[in-house]
């Protein structure tokens, strides 16, 4: 009887060893270049997000579907202009009492989403943001892309926000923050 049990155990061990050999190795994770992620995001963003009235400020951007941490959410698009042109437009927009959607992409270019911007312009500021922004340069075409990525898992209906990281101003030029986060700094700059 002991011989039979030893033989059975040896057979079971052999089956386990063969099963391990036959298991396929895990497929390596595909690394998708950042520019490709941004371009794909721009094509898919209308299915992921929508805009609506925000409790933070004016219009806001909201998730339509669950969004995973690290996933590209939306791209900030608009006219790509030099800083000097952006400064002139800012003065004109202020005179017209328009909301400003000017975003410095790099030291040479500003993306002006005021009149021809994408849905990404509706992300409001928060001191506890759900998204962060990355600059992705399309070096072949000289085009900067600003894309928002999820900092955490985002639920459908949740407002998408990011930290504007405005440069500090003196007290009379501070912009009040209305994000309502427990960690709110009180001002956006």
């Amino acid at each position: 009887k002991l011989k039979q049990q030893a033989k059975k155990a040896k057979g079971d061990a052999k089956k386990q060893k063969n099963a391990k050999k036959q298991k396929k190795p895990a497929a390596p994770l595909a690394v998708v270049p950042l520019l490709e992620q941004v371009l794909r995001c721009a094509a898919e963003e209308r299915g992921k997000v929508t805009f609506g009235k925000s409790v933070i400020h004016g219009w806001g951007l909201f998730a339509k579907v669950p969004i995973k941490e690290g996933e590209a959410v939306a791209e900030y698009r608009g006219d790509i202009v030099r800083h000097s042109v952006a400064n002139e437009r800012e003065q004109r927009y202020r005179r017209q009492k328009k909301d400003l959607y000017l975003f410095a992409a790099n030291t040479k270019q500003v993306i002006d989403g005021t009149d021809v911007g994408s849905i990404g312009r509706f992300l409001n500021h928060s001191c506890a943001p759900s998204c962060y922004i990355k600059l992705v340069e399309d070096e072949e075409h000289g085009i900067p892309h600003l894309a928002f990525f999820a900092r955490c898992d985002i639920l459908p209906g949740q407002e998408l926000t990011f930290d504007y990281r405005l440069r500090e101003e003196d007290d009379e030029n501070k912009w009040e923050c209305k994000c309502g986060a427990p960690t709110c700094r009180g001002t956006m700059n």
Side-chain angles (χ1 to χ4, degrees), residues 44-50 62-68 71 154-158 160:
E44 298 172 351
E45 68 190 13
R46 290 278 179 183
K48 288 183 182 180
V49 296
T50 189
F62 298 86
K64 291 166 88 172
V65 297
I67 299 170
K68 293 278 186 212
E71 190 176 332
I154 298 170
L155 301 173
Q158 183 176 340
L160 305 174

Side-chain angles (χ1 to χ4, degrees), residues 1-16:
K1 195 172 189 179
L2 285 175
K3 274 187 171 180
Q4 282 180 327
Q5 286 176 337
K7 198 174 184 180
K8 184 178 184 311
K10 194 175 182 182
D12 288 346
K14 194 173 184 179
K15 283 180 188 176
Q16 284 179 338

Side-chain angles (χ1 to χ4, degrees), residues 7-173:
K7 198 174 184 180
K8 184 178 184 311
K10 194 175 182 182
D12 288 346
K14 194 173 184 179
K15 283 180 188 176
Q16 284 179 338
K17 190 176 179 182
N18 287 337
K20 283 182 183 177
K21 283 182 184 178
Q22 291 176 358
K23 275 189 181 177
K24 292 181 182 178
L29 293 174
V31 176
V32 179
L34 205 48
L35 181 57
E36 187 178 321
Q37 289 179 49
V38 172
L39 296 176
R40 185 182 307 154
C41 166
E44 298 172 351
E45 68 190 13
R46 290 278 179 183
K48 288 183 182 180
V49 296
T50 189
F51 71 97
K53 291 302 282 177
S54 168
V55 296
I56 297 172
H57 172 77
W59 297 103
L61 198 64
F62 298 86
K64 291 166 88 172
V65 297
I67 299 170
K68 293 278 186 212
E69 179 181 349
E71 190 176 332
V73 177
E75 184 182 1
Y76 189 96
R77 292 185 301 280
D79 285 339
I80 299 170
V81 298
R82 295 184 319 274
H83 282 269
S84 59
V85 173
N87 291 337
E88 290 171 12
R89 287 183 179 188
E90 178 181 2
Q91 296 308 314
R92 185 175 77 229
Y93 297 153
R94 287 189 189 281
R95 284 192 306 274
Q96 295 171 341
K97 300 195 183 316
K98 281 186 173 182
D99 286 337
L100 300 175
Y101 295 98
L102 298 166
F103 206 123
N106 54 40
T107 58
K108 296 178 182 177
Q109 298 167 307
V110 173
I111 299 177
D112 180 0
T114 305
D115 290 329
V116 293
S118 65
I119 198 167
R121 70 183 168 168
F122 295 115
L123 268 87
N124 281 316
H125 166 81
S126 176
C127 298
S130 58
C131 297
Y132 61 93
I133 196 158
K134 279 188 183 181
L135 168 64
V136 181
E137 298 276 357
D138 180 347
E139 294 174 8
E140 185 179 336
H141 299 101
I143 299 172
H145 293 272
L146 294 172
F148 297 100
F149 290 82
R151 290 178 68 95
C152 56
D153 289 345
I154 298 170
L155 301 173
Q158 183 176 340
E159 183 169 1
L160 305 174
T161 58
F162 78 108
D163 187 340
Y164 285 6
R165 295 185 183 182
L166 299 175
R167 83 171 168 262
E168 272 204 47
E169 300 281 352
D170 54 29
D171 285 343
E172 65 185 43
N173 292 313

